[in-house]
Amino acid sequence: VVRHGDTLWTDQTGRAELELDGGAWVRLADSTKVEVLRLADAPEFRVWNGAVYCQARREVGRPILFRTP
């Protein structure tokens, strides 16, 4: 279970995938650190380092925000 305030990270050989409500996915590449700022309404993430990929269907109907330092 992932909640707002959690920090997700992957090591040099790791990858992760987070499925959001409404049919959106956030994928973390290797050596990535992401903080979950908000999940409800308009999901918001802070990307500290690494790379993320977001895939969303049109039906999501809300912004998904990514902040960088």
Side-chain angles (χ1 to χ4, degrees):
V1 175
V2 176
R3 295 184 174 97
H4 71 277
D6 286 350
T7 301
L8 310 173
W9 68 91
T10 57
D11 63 16
Q12 293 176 347
T13 60
R15 293 189 180 147
E17 180 178 82
L18 179 63
E19 184 176 354
L20 305 176
D21 290 340
W25 292 266
V26 176
R27 294 182 177 100
L28 284 64
D30 57 293
S31 302
T32 298
K33 179 180 175 184
V34 174
E35 181 181 357
V36 181
L37 301 176
R38 181 176 49 220
L39 286 174
D41 302 323
E44 185 176 353
F45 302 90
R46 179 176 312 279
V47 181
W48 290 102
N49 60 286
V52 297
Y53 171 78
C54 180
Q55 179 179 354
R57 295 185 291 184
R58 272 183 219 261
E59 296 83 26
V60 171
R62 61 186 180 185
I64 300 171
L65 304 171
F66 294 90
R67 300 198 181 277
T68 58

